[in-house]
Amino acid sequence: MTAGLDGRSPVIRRDGEGISRLWGKGSVVTTKLSAEETGGTLGITHFSAVRGECAPRHTHTLEDEIFIVEGGRVHLAVGDRAEIVNGAGVLFLPRGIPHSYLVESETARFYVITTPGGFERFFSETGYPTRLGKSAPVGESWSADRTMEFAEKLDLGVVWGD
């Protein structure tokens, strides 16, 4: 494939392609584009989320974040506002604004885009490998503490809480 002016090559990922991991309450999170593939420009992660999937209130200090909700009902708390996206919608979060989300419908599908890229490794390295009909490895369970610990180890610049 031909490279662009800066040497980067195009990447095409179809539905079901990318690095998929089991996440949180049984959702599947798929890294669609990594910082390595985009020259650090951005990272894109897709969520096939289940009811109750959430992120505790946190703030990104290194990147801006964009949520593109494709379907489902997602409660978003951003700064001092609370909004419901029911169906489809887009949310831009500049770095430095505390936020959280909660999936309220049976399922929801959404993309998380971060710029610059790099935060997507949080999902690919923290999630569990997907296996049909399997959940987290025996003896391990999901927890907010585990999530926070991984974010710190990866030096992602995430501040938890307000």
Side-chain angles (χ1 to χ4, degrees):
M1 200 175 271
T2 305
L5 295 175
D6 61 2
R8 292 180 293 167
S9 296
V11 178
I12 298 172
R13 294 268 155 69
R14 292 169 180 79
D15 194 30
E17 295 179 339
I19 299 171
S20 294
R21 297 287 186 253
L22 289 173
W23 186 259
K25 299 185 179 295
S27 301
V28 175
V29 179
T30 304
T31 301
K32 299 305 259 183
L33 289 174
S34 68
E36 291 77 24
E37 295 169 314
T38 66
T41 304
L42 56 87
I44 301 179
T45 306
H46 184 265
F47 282 73
S48 291
V50 298
R51 181 186 302 277
E53 191 65 67
C54 62
R57 193 160 174 90
H58 64 284
T59 304
H60 295 262
T61 62
L62 303 177
E63 63 278 315
D64 298 329
E65 192 171 26
I66 301 162
F67 279 77
I68 301 175
V69 179
E70 298 178 287
R73 181 178 169 92
V74 182
H75 180 270
L76 298 161
V78 181
D80 59 359
R81 285 176 57 185
E83 297 283 337
I84 302 287
V85 175
N86 194 9
V90 175
L91 167 68
F92 171 67
L93 285 165
R95 66 195 83 186
I97 297 178
H99 59 280
S100 63
Y101 71 85
L102 171 66
V103 173
E104 295 183 337
S105 52
E106 273 312 300
T107 61
R109 291 175 48 94
F110 55 92
Y111 285 92
V112 174
I113 302 169
T114 55
T115 181
F119 188 79
E120 71 284 350
R121 5 182 231 130
F122 177 61
F123 303 112
S124 60
E125 294 187 30
T126 307
Y128 297 106
T130 56
R131 292 183 212 84
L132 192 57
K134 300 275 184 176
S135 58
V138 176
E140 294 188 38
S141 63
W142 194 266
S143 71
D145 288 341
R146 180 180 182 276
T147 302
M148 292 175 197
E149 179 183 315
F150 265 85
E152 189 174 315
K153 281 182 186 176
L154 293 171
D155 196 24
L156 296 175
V158 175
V159 178
W160 301 97
D162 283 322

